[in-house]
Amino acid sequence: QVQLVESGGDLAQPGGSLRLSCAASGFIFSRHGMSWTRQASGKGLELVSGISADGSDTYYANSVKGRFTIIRDNSKNTLYLQMNNLQPEDTAMYHCGRAITRYYSDKLHDYDFWGQGTQVTVSS
């Protein structure tokens, strides 16, 4: 019943922008913290950004701070990741995840569901 469906991944040039979306269904979206993670080819999972249930608290990895913005629209049950000034090292599969509580977490075991992901490729 719980579903998280990511979209918006594409090929972008360095310095370009993309906006990822995560459509949530099957649960009360506004009661859960949410996060974005990414996994580059041959690399482990990296927590990119997190946001609390009401959107008041956010987290960004140092690698994306100042370039990415996490946003949620609880009226639309949708999570977004606005990515600006993209760089080749941002190339990865991006997944949205649902936190068990109202808060985001830096521990993967605190998330009980992940979407299938959307591919972002940054290349000149």
Side-chain angles (χ1 to χ4, degrees):
Q1 187 77 4
V2 174
Q3 291 192 44
L4 299 172
V5 181
E6 301 95 335
S7 62
D10 206 345
L11 175 66
Q13 297 184 18
S17 297
L18 289 172
R19 184 170 183 163
L20 307 184
S21 298
C22 172
S25 61
F27 67 99
I28 303 175
F29 179 72
S30 61
R31 293 184 182 176
H32 293 264
M34 300 290 293
S35 289
W36 288 96
T37 62
R38 66 185 182 187
Q39 186 168 29
S41 181
K43 304 287 187 178
L45 287 171
E46 177 188 14
L47 180 66
V48 174
S49 185
I51 188 167
S52 60
D54 64 0
S56 62
D57 295 306
T58 58
Y59 162 84
Y60 298 96
N62 288 336
S63 57
V64 307
K65 197 171 299 181
R67 300 187 297 117
F68 290 11
T69 304
I70 189 168
I71 307 158
R72 67 187 300 156
D73 187 340
N74 286 347
S75 71
K76 297 180 179 179
N77 291 343
T78 303
L79 178 74
Y80 304 96
L81 185 67
Q82 179 66 48
M83 305 185 295
N84 296 327
N85 193 23
L86 285 162
Q87 301 298 312
E89 55 265 34
D90 296 318
T91 296
M93 183 72 74
Y94 285 73
H95 302 263
C96 65
R98 184 184 79 165
I100 298 169
T101 71
R102 293 171 295 177
Y103 298 97
Y104 60 84
S105 173
D106 62 354
K107 302 184 185 303
L108 293 179
H109 70 255
D110 288 329
Y111 295 85
D112 61 2
F113 196 87
W114 296 94
Q116 291 294 302
T118 186
Q119 178 68 40
V120 171
T121 301
V122 184
S123 176
S124 60

